[in-house]
Amino acid sequence: MKKLVFLHGWVNKYIINKDKNIEEFYQDLLSELKKYFEVHFVILPGFSNNPEPLKEYFLDDYVEYVKNYVELNKLNNFYLMGHSFGGQIACKFAYLYPEKVAKLILYNAACIRKESIKQKLLKPFRKIGQFIFKIFPFLKKAVYKFLTGSTYYLQLSPIMQKTYQNVIKEDLTPLLEKIKVQTIIIWGAKDRITPLWQGKLIKKLIPDSQIFINNSGDHNFHKKNPKFIIGILKSI
């Protein structure tokens, strides 16, 4: 049976709630994948019961963690699948260690970290906001809730907040055309976190790649429609 290493996304509630297993977020997809692959689900440092790093991590630290995992488990010539943040890790891993990866599978992968026009416009106001939050700390929670729909980020430890800021700053666009591993790109057309244009750009830049688009899919469409993903992967 073919081996598949699965890297999960950045889901804040599984950093905050250490007693919850992030595998449950992918339960239906993993159940289907296990019919066709020997699945190795990697719980990354800081998530669920895997302790937070002692110092802030950068993307390369997560890449090296995965490298140590596959070496410890004697995995070679495996399929490497990553969702969202996990796709960002998988992409850089495949660039650095192509000899270990049979195929790269990017599912709504956060490889492209470009500032939006909205973010650029808000940048001059960030320092003002930080000053206001110091005077009126109760406003911070309300502002985060309004901008992101969640206050989970504020509940993260300082190390995980810094780690998050580190990884979202690393744009992998310059590396994509250098990836030599055959790549399958799976994307939701209605994804608002990693919009479809990013998936199409990844397809354009990675030489040996294919893209499959779920027209009704959002960022986490595996929860509603895992069979779309399985239909693509079961025959590769």
Side-chain angles (χ1 to χ4, degrees):
M1 187 175 278
K2 298 171 183 176
K3 296 176 174 59
L4 184 145
V5 175
F6 191 102
L7 307 181
H8 61 77
W10 186 289
V11 188
N12 282 323
K13 75 175 184 177
Y14 293 100
I15 301 175
I16 297 161
N17 301 315
K18 299 298 185 186
D19 59 331
K20 288 188 174 294
N21 190 337
I22 195 168
E23 284 190 56
E24 72 181 20
F25 191 74
Y26 298 93
Q27 183 176 353
D28 293 340
L29 176 59
L30 292 174
S31 294
E32 291 294 322
L33 283 172
K34 288 175 182 176
K35 296 177 183 178
Y36 304 97
F37 301 95
E38 178 187 311
V39 178
H40 295 260
F41 186 92
V42 182
I43 299 178
L44 299 166
F47 294 84
S48 297
N49 61 357
N50 195 345
E52 293 182 4
L54 298 177
K55 60 178 181 63
E56 61 186 285
Y57 261 27
F58 292 82
L59 183 61
D60 283 348
D61 294 305
Y62 281 109
V63 171
E64 289 307 299
Y65 182 87
V66 174
K67 179 173 178 284
N68 291 336
Y69 177 94
V70 298
E71 288 180 348
L72 182 64
N73 288 276
K74 298 180 180 178
L75 300 175
N76 276 297
N77 199 38
F78 53 85
Y79 291 178
L80 180 59
M81 181 174 182
H83 171 231
S84 194
F85 166 58
Q88 184 187 19
I89 300 170
C91 191
K92 191 156 191 186
F93 185 100
Y95 165 72
L96 291 172
Y97 308 110
E99 71 282 358
K100 295 182 178 293
V101 182
K103 287 188 182 179
L104 175 63
I105 304 161
L106 300 176
Y107 163 40
N108 288 344
C111 300
I112 298 171
R113 301 287 195 174
K114 305 285 189 184
E115 278 192 325
S116 66
I117 294 174
K118 181 180 177 181
Q119 288 171 322
K120 288 178 181 178
L121 290 173
L122 289 174
K123 191 176 258 186
F125 300 100
R126 286 176 187 166
K127 289 186 178 180
I128 298 172
Q130 290 170 358
F131 176 74
I132 293 173
F133 291 151
K134 284 182 180 179
I135 302 174
F136 306 107
F138 62 89
L139 288 176
K140 193 172 187 178
K141 189 173 182 179
V143 170
Y144 267 85
K145 179 73 173 177
F146 175 75
L147 292 175
T148 68
S150 168
T151 59
Y152 275 131
Y153 175 80
L154 298 178
Q155 299 176 55
L156 301 181
S157 69
I159 283 177
M160 293 308 290
Q161 286 189 4
K162 289 178 182 177
T163 296
Y164 177 75
Q165 293 302 324
N166 291 338
V167 299
I168 65 171
K169 288 177 184 175
E170 185 158 354
D171 177 29
L172 299 183
T173 305
L175 304 183
L176 296 176
E177 64 183 5
K178 301 174 185 176
I179 291 178
K180 306 303 181 187
V181 178
Q182 186 177 14
T183 303
I184 294 170
I185 303 160
I186 301 172
W187 223 270
K190 296 185 178 179
D191 187 345
R192 293 184 178 180
I193 297 175
T194 52
L196 180 58
W197 69 263
Q198 296 186 5
K200 290 181 176 179
L201 181 57
I202 292 170
K203 164 66 180 73
K204 180 180 178 181
L205 293 176
I206 297 180
D208 188 4
S209 64
Q210 295 176 275
I211 188 168
F212 299 87
I213 300 170
N214 184 310
N215 291 324
S216 61
D218 59 11
H219 191 63
N220 301 313
F221 73 80
H222 66 272
K223 296 170 77 73
K224 293 180 181 178
N225 190 4
K227 291 188 182 295
F228 179 87
I229 298 172
I230 297 303
I232 297 164
L233 301 184
K234 68 182 182 181
S235 59
I236 63 174

